[in-house]
Amino acid sequence: MKRRDFIKLSLTTSLGAVAPLSLLDTLAPGAAHASGNANATKTPTVCNMCFWKCAGFVQQTDNTLWKITGNDADLHCQGRLCTRGTGGIGAYTDPDRLTSPLLRVEENGRQTFKPVSWDQALNFIVERLNRIKENHGADRIAMFSHGDGASHFRHLLRAFGADSDSHPSYAQCRGPRDMGFQLTFGEGVGSPDRTDMANARCIVLIGSHIGENLHNGQVQTFTRAIEQGATIITVDPRFSVAASKSRYWLPIKPGTDIALLLAWMHVLIGEQLYDRDYVTAHTRGFAELQQYIRPYTPEWAYTETGIDPDTIRATAREMGKAAPASLVHPGRHVTWYGDDTQRSRAIAIINALLGSWGREGGFYIPERVGLPQYPTPPYPQARSSWRDFTHAKYPLAHHAVTNTLLDASRGDDAHYKGWFVYGTNLPTTMPGIREQLKQAVDQQELVVVIDVQPAEITGYADVILPECSYLERYDSLRDSPERQPSLALTMPAITPRGDSKPGWWIAKQLGERLGLGAYFPWNDYSEVLDWQLKQVGSSLQEMQAVGHKAFPRKTARYFADDEPRIFPTPSGKIELYSSTLKDNGFDPLPTYTRPTAVPSGFYRLNYGRVAAHTFGRTQNNPLLYELAPENVVWINPLIATEFKLRSGDYVRLKNPDGIISNRVRVRVTERVRPDSVYLPHGFGHTAKGLRLAHGKGADDAALMTRPAIDPIMGGTGMRTNVVTILTEGV
Ligand code: MGD
Ligand code: SF4
C-alpha cells in the first residue's frame, strides 16, 4: 500500500480571453496618472504576480486594500502595472487561501489534513529533520522552489547541511537559453532580459509571444520600438499578438526553427551582411561556421520550414541592414523540442554575426547594486549536493535539473529522504512526471509544502505551511541585473490573513528549533533589510518612503568600439564554434534535427500564456478569474470543418497515451496552422480547494506525457506532444 495518499484539499481543510490586440491595453497607469484619492495611504511593494518584479505601491483607504499602482521611477514598469499586477489584490482577498498550518493525519482509516498550531507543525518538521539527519545525513533534503521568497528556506537548509535546491525555471523554462548564450558569450541573458529593444531597429521574435506573455517593461520597450518604426519579424506557427504587430510574420512549421536560423546565417555570411569588424575582433570559429553553413541555403530551409526562400532572404537583409541595432530575441520559455540548447546557440550566433551583443539596440551590459549578505556563520560543507546528480547526467548544467533530483528521490535506494517545496506546483510544472512524483514522495520521510493556496502539490505534503502573500510581508530586496542598477522594497501593507506567516518568520522559527539560531541573529527581517541598505548608502526608512531607488552605473552600458574585450568564455572570445560542446561529445555548431512526424489523426499540442494569468498560479484569484475563467483551444477552420465544430463548442483533447483532458471550449481561427492546436497553459486545475479554478478549462501539462529531454542541459522539451480531438460525450 502507498504510504501517502494524494489528498485533494477541500474547503474545510484548506480554510484556516483572448489577449487584446493592443499591447498597452493590458497595462494600467500608475499613481501619477490615475484618478487620485487624497485619503489613500501608499505602501511600497514589488509585484509578485509574476517574476518580472515591477515596483509599485499598495494604496489603502480605511485599512482596506484599494488598488495597486506602478512606481513611476521603476524601469521594470515605468509607472504602469499589467492586469495581473493590479489584480494582486485578489491574492489577498482569495477566500480559498491557506490560512492555517495543516498536518496529514489518519482518521477512520482515511488520510486527511488537520489544521494545527504553528508549534505543532514546526515541531513535527524539526523532529523529522533531526531523524533524517541522524539516520542518513543532513544533506539528504532536496528543495524544489520558484521565486525569491525561497531564499529564506535555502538559507535554512544550507545552514542545516543540505545543498540541493532546484527550480523548474531552469529545466522547464529558461535553461537552454542561458546555456546557449553562456557557451557563446560566456554569460546568460538574465532577468530582466538584457535586450535593448527600445533602441533596436530590427527585432526578431522566435516563438516569443510578447503581449500574451506579459513582461511589463518588455512590452513597453517593444511598443516603443514599433512606434519608432523598427522592423519586427515574428516567427511563430500561430498568428500571435506580436505577429499582428510585425512587418513579417513567418508561420513556420513547428519544430523547424534551427533550419531557418541556419539559412539566415547562410544569407548573412554569403551576402556579407554581418558585422565584419566585430566578428574579426571578438569571435572565434568564424571559418568553421562559414564552411558549416554552406549547404543550408534558403531553398533547403524552405523544404523544412515551409518559409519561402525570398522571405528568408528578405528578412536576413532587414536584420543585416539594421545591425548592430538588430537583435534576435533569446526568448524566455524555450524548452520545446529537446534540441533547445542548439537552437539557443543558433540565436546567439546570429546575434554575434550582427554584432549586437553589448551594442546599443542589441544587448546592453546589465549592472546590479550588489547588496552584501547579512553576516552569518559560514555554511557547513554538505556531504552531497545537487551537483552529484545533475552533473552525473548533464556535466555542463549551471543549475540543478529538477528531474535529476526527482530521480534521486525514487526507488528503494533513494538518496533524498525529505523534501521542501516552495512556491512551485510540481504536478503541473514538470510534464511527464506524475507517476515518478508519486513514487518519489512515497520514499520521503518528510514532505513540507510552503504555499499560499491549496494547489495540487499540497496534496502530496505531510505538512502544509501557509505563507502570507507578498502584500503582507517583508521580503528580500529586488536587486536585479539591469540597464540602471536599482533596489525595490517589498513590505507589509496589511496584516496577514488568518494564521498565515511570512517565509522569513517560518525559516527563522525552524532554524531556532534546529539549534541554528546563529544563522538568524535578528528579531525581524526588517533589521536585515535596514543593515543591507545602510551598506549602500540608503536605509529602510528611505525605502519605506520611496519604494524604489536607482543607483549610478559604475561601468559603461555598451562596449566601446575601439576597446579590446575579454569575454568570460574559455578562449576569451565569443565562441561561434564551441570547443566546450565538442569536448563533451556534442555538436560544436548548431545541428538541425527534423521533428518527428505527427501521427495521422493527431495535431501538435502548442501552448502559451494568456495575458491575465501567470503559469498555473493565478486562476483562482477572484479578480483575474473574472477576466479569464477558462482557456479555449484554438483550432484551424479546416480541422473544425472536419470535426463539425464551431467556436464556443466544447471538446476534449486526448493524447496517444490515452490521457483525456477536461472539456474545453473551441475557438475556430485561421490564426493557428492546421497541423497544430493551441492551448493556453495553467488551466484545468484538479485541486478541489481552488473552488473557482477547479475543473475550468484543460490542463496542457497533463497531456504532455512524451517530453523530449535536451541532452546538453536536461531541459524538458514540451512541444513534442500531440493530441487528437474528441467531440463525443462532452
Ligand atoms: P506556478 O505554476 O506559477 O509556478 O511553474 P511553477 O514554478 O510551478 O505556481 C506555483 C505555486 O506557487 C502555486 O501553487 C502558487 O500557489 C504558489 N505561490 C504563489 N505565490 C506564492 C508565494 O508568495 N509564496 C509561496 N510559498 N507560494 C506561492 C512555472 C514553470 O512552469 C515555468 S517558469 C515555466 S516557463 C514553464 N512553463 C510551462 C508552460 O508554459 N507549459 C507547461 N505545460 N509547463 C510549463 N512549466 C514551466
Ligand atoms: Fe506584476 Fe505584471 Fe509586472 Fe509581472 S509584469 S511583476 S504581473 S505587474
Side-chain angles (χ1 to χ4, degrees):
M1 204 187 80
K2 284 184 277 115
R3 197 176 69 77
R4 248 186 219 86
D5 288 335
F6 171 74
I7 305 175
K8 292 192 176 178
L9 272 186
S10 67
L11 181 66
T12 45
T13 47
S14 71
L15 261 183
V18 179
L21 281 173
S22 164
L23 289 170
L24 288 178
D25 276 1
T26 47
L27 302 180
H33 316 284
S35 59
N37 180 331
N39 299 325
T41 58
K42 284 167 66 178
T43 311
T45 192
V46 175
C47 179
N48 200 22
M49 297 297 286
C50 86
F51 298 100
W52 194 252
K53 305 182 192 170
C54 298
F57 293 100
V58 184
Q59 302 202 33
Q60 297 180 54
T61 47
D62 305 326
N63 207 27
T64 305
L65 297 183
W66 175 42
K67 65 177 178 179
I68 309 177
T69 49
N71 187 324
D72 287 334
D74 181 29
L75 285 180
H76 291 229
C77 73
Q78 300 184 56
R80 305 168 80 118
L81 296 188
C82 79
T83 321
R84 297 163 300 160
T86 53
I89 288 181
Y92 172 76
T93 57
D94 184 351
D96 295 343
R97 276 178 55 173
L98 294 164
T99 54
S100 157
L102 299 170
L103 191 64
R104 177 184 290 267
V105 292
E106 190 140 339
E107 274 173 5
N108 305 325
R110 198 177 142 258
Q111 293 185 3
T112 183
F113 285 115
K114 180 175 137 201
V116 292
S117 68
W118 275 100
D119 266 343
Q120 284 172 291
L122 296 169
N123 290 342
F124 176 89
I125 295 170
V126 166
E127 190 265 317
R128 291 279 173 105
L129 281 175
N130 280 331
R131 205 200 302 166
I132 293 171
K133 181 175 179 177
E134 205 174 299
N135 293 342
H136 312 285
D139 54 314
R140 305 296 195 90
I141 311 291
M143 180 162 150
F144 297 85
S145 69
H146 196 186
D148 283 353
S151 61
H152 309 295
F153 297 92
R154 197 172 306 126
H155 175 61
L156 170 75
L157 291 177
R158 288 297 304 272
F160 184 64
D163 182 15
S164 291
D165 183 19
S166 63
H167 328 280
S169 53
Y170 186 65
Q172 279 74 35
C173 184
R174 299 184 332 214
R177 169 189 93 162
D178 290 333
M179 174 65 79
F181 275 67
Q182 285 266 1
L183 287 165
T184 312
F185 299 110
E187 287 175 83
V189 179
S191 179
D193 315 354
R194 59 203 285 178
T195 51
D196 195 20
M197 287 204 288
N199 297 313
R201 290 190 293 122
C202 179
I203 298 172
V204 181
L205 301 178
I206 307 254
S208 192
H209 59 324
I210 295 179
E212 290 152 289
N213 151 21
L214 249 187
H215 279 152
N216 191 343
Q218 176 163 257
V219 175
Q220 297 191 43
T221 48
F222 181 59
T223 307
R224 203 165 313 141
I226 295 171
E227 282 165 3
Q228 289 165 2
T231 300
I232 312 295
I233 300 164
T234 296
V235 183
D236 197 315
R238 186 179 64 97
F239 189 64
S240 61
V241 173
S244 74
K245 304 287 158 205
S246 303
R247 191 165 303 162
Y248 296 89
W249 170 44
L250 278 53
I252 195 163
K253 190 168 160 204
T256 63
D257 298 82
I258 296 181
L260 174 65
L261 291 160
L262 291 173
W264 272 340
M265 288 181 212
H266 180 99
V267 180
L268 286 172
I269 295 178
E271 297 190 13
Q272 311 261 319
L273 297 168
Y274 66 98
D275 186 332
R276 289 183 79 158
D277 291 345
Y278 183 96
V279 166
T280 309
H282 299 308
T283 70
R284 179 177 169 274
F286 180 74
E288 288 92 335
L289 177 69
Q290 188 173 26
Q291 172 73 16
Y292 175 71
I293 48 88
R294 231 165 241 153
Y296 299 122
T297 62
E299 284 68 24
W300 166 80
Y302 170 59
T303 58
E304 300 297 324
T305 63
I307 310 297
D308 78 83
D310 288 347
T311 306
I312 296 177
R313 287 201 171 84
T315 44
R317 287 172 192 150
E318 293 273 9
M319 283 182 233
K321 197 169 65 184
S326 178
L327 67 102
V328 185
H329 196 289
R332 185 99 172 177
H333 169 75
V334 294
T335 42
W336 299 353
Y337 290 95
D339 57 358
D340 306 302
T341 300
Q342 291 291 13
R343 189 183 62 254
S344 295
R345 273 264 303 148
I347 290 174
I349 289 171
I350 294 195
N351 282 307
L353 293 175
L354 296 170
S356 65
W357 187 255
R359 309 282 283 286
E360 188 166 4
F363 295 81
Y364 62 83
I365 304 165
E367 204 179 290
R368 60 204 284 268
V369 176
L371 282 171
Q373 288 297 316
Y374 191 85
T376 53
Y379 295 131
Q381 180 67 40
R383 283 205 316 221
S384 67
S385 86
W386 62 268
R387 293 170 193 82
D388 299 320
F389 301 97
T390 294
H391 286 163
K393 267 184 122 168
Y394 310 108
L396 298 178
H398 298 101
H399 298 282
V401 170
T402 38
N403 307 58
T404 61
L405 298 201
L406 178 76
D407 285 342
S409 303
R410 299 196 290 137
D412 292 340
D413 58 347
H415 178 81
Y416 292 111
K417 303 292 180 192
W419 275 15
F420 269 61
V421 184
Y422 177 95
T424 181
N425 196 12
L426 299 179
T428 59
T429 297
M430 294 177 62
I433 55 99
R434 291 189 186 184
E435 198 42 47
Q436 293 96 308
L437 180 63
K438 282 190 203 127
Q439 292 165 5
V441 291
D442 271 349
Q443 294 297 326
Q444 302 307 303
E445 296 173 21
L446 172 68
V447 178
V448 181
V449 174
I450 303 132
D451 210 308
V452 293
Q453 61 178 349
E456 284 74 9
I457 185 64
T458 57
Y460 296 85
D462 292 311
V463 197
I464 304 170
L465 301 180
E467 189 176 29
C468 57
S469 77
Y470 69 104
L471 302 175
E472 303 157 293
R473 68 187 193 222
Y474 277 112
D475 222 325
S476 19
L477 289 150
R478 188 195 80 191
D479 180 11
S480 315
E482 48 191 311
R483 162 184 291 277
Q484 181 72 43
S486 74
L487 297 175
L489 174 70
T490 302
M491 65 177 287
I494 195 155
T495 317
R497 285 261 308 275
D499 213 3
S500 61
K501 299 280 186 194
W504 65 259
W505 181 91
I506 305 171
K508 179 174 161 66
Q509 287 293 320
L510 286 170
E512 284 171 355
R513 283 161 211 250
L514 285 162
L516 302 171
Y519 291 90
F520 301 87
W522 32 268
N523 294 314
D524 190 278
Y525 196 63
S526 58
E527 293 164 38
V528 175
L529 301 179
D530 193 41
W531 181 88
Q532 286 185 302
L533 286 163
K534 286 189 171 139
Q535 311 310 304
V536 294
S538 180
S539 67
L540 186 58
Q541 196 183 13
E542 182 190 16
M543 289 301 285
Q544 284 171 337
V546 295
H548 169 277
K549 184 175 161 94
F551 289 73
R553 280 190 73 104
K554 297 192 188 80
T555 57
R557 187 171 290 147
Y558 307 110
F559 296 169
D561 280 347
D562 47 359
E563 209 181 276
R565 277 210 89 78
I566 297 176
F567 292 83
T569 55
S571 64
K573 297 277 186 191
I574 297 172
E575 302 205 342
L576 305 177
Y577 177 97
S578 171
S579 309
T580 307
L581 283 178
K582 174 105 177 106
D583 294 346
N584 282 276
F586 300 113
D587 295 320
L589 289 160
T591 358
Y592 169 65
T593 320
R594 188 174 293 160
T596 45
V598 175
S600 154
F602 284 84
Y603 307 91
R604 200 169 285 286
L605 177 61
N606 188 5
Y607 60 86
R609 317 294 161 123
V610 284
H613 289 293
T614 300
F615 313 133
R617 63 172 54 211
T618 55
Q619 285 73 12
N620 207 64
N621 175 312
L623 301 175
L624 301 179
Y625 173 84
E626 247 181 69
L627 293 176
E630 59 185 331
N631 53 358
V632 290
V633 58
W634 296 26
I635 294 181
N636 183 277
L638 288 174
I639 310 307
T641 309
E642 199 181 306
F643 284 90
K644 299 192 178 57
L645 288 169
R646 284 180 310 184
S647 284
D649 288 349
Y650 275 109
V651 294
R652 288 180 198 272
L653 303 175
K654 181 178 174 186
N655 79 3
D657 294 315
I659 303 289
I660 299 178
S661 76
N662 279 350
R663 56 190 216 133
V664 57
R665 269 187 208 281
V666 166
R667 176 179 185 208
V668 179
T669 172
E670 289 190 0
R671 290 172 62 187
V672 65
R673 290 170 53 109
D675 55 4
S676 49
V677 297
Y678 177 75
L679 185 67
H681 168 63
F683 294 83
H685 281 280
T686 53
K688 285 193 174 145
L690 303 173
R691 287 176 300 169
L692 289 177
H694 177 254
K696 303 281 166 42
D699 174 10
D700 59 330
L703 294 162
M704 296 172 175
T705 49
R706 298 185 186 186
I709 304 302
D710 187 325
I712 302 177
M713 53 61 66
T716 305
M718 304 179 192
R719 297 210 168 133
T720 42
N721 291 280
V722 298
V723 290
T724 189
I725 299 164
L726 304 181
T727 53
E728 300 290 314
V730 288

